[in-house]
Amino acid sequence: MNSSPTPERWARVQERFHQIREAAAPLRADLLSRLEAEDAALAADVRSLLEAEASGPLGGTDKSPSELVAEYVGPYRLIRRLGEGGMGTVYLAEREQAGFSQ
């Protein structure tokens, strides 16, 4: 996927992923083709999520593709959940700001 996605971009990927995933099987290829004509990069991201879902659990987790779509907290992009305890949850995150990545 895009190396520095915006929250708006992730929302578009997630929206299209759900639209195509919930469509009847015969319509999915047509919907992906239409999306490819509109936005090839977006279609590639959606196709990647669809293929990952079809191949089983993603990245050794039991999360669905929609749960793996990045979320932002301030300048931090959440990558994945590392652990959970009685007082909270710990995430692996990257700091992303204009001209700065950590």
Side-chain angles (χ1 to χ4, degrees), residues 8-54:
E8 294 81 15
R9 169 102 177 135
W10 282 111
R12 287 182 62 211
V13 169
Q14 185 176 17
E15 177 185 359
R16 291 302 185 98
F17 166 77
H18 286 292
Q19 286 174 346
I20 293 171
R21 187 177 111 211
E22 293 170 9
L27 297 175
R28 291 181 192 152
D30 184 49
L31 291 171
L32 270 172
S33 294
R34 289 182 196 179
L35 181 57
E36 179 102 47
E38 292 173 30
D39 185 337
L42 181 64
D45 289 345
V46 171
R47 182 176 280 112
S48 175
L49 288 176
L50 291 167
E51 290 170 356
E53 181 180 56

Side-chain angles (χ1 to χ4, degrees), residues 9 21 31 38 51 57 63 71 80-81 83 96 102:
R9 169 102 177 135
R21 187 177 111 211
L31 291 171
E38 292 173 30
E51 290 170 356
K63 293 182 178 181
E71 293 185 27
R80 65 183 169 91
R81 188 176 57 147
E96 292 183 354
Q102 179 181 0

Side-chain angles (χ1 to χ4, degrees), residues 42-98:
L42 181 64
D45 289 345
V46 171
R47 182 176 280 112
S48 175
L49 288 176
L50 291 167
E51 290 170 356
E53 181 180 56
S55 69
L58 303 175
T61 74
D62 56 357
K63 293 182 178 181
S64 72
S66 62
E67 292 175 305
L68 293 175
V69 172
E71 293 185 27
Y72 287 79
V73 176
Y76 296 93
R77 180 173 65 96
L78 303 180
I79 307 295
R80 65 183 169 91
R81 188 176 57 147
L82 294 175
E84 186 169 5
M87 297 297 288
T89 304
V90 178
Y91 291 89
L92 174 64
E94 287 182 322
R95 183 174 178 181
E96 292 183 354
Q97 290 178 318

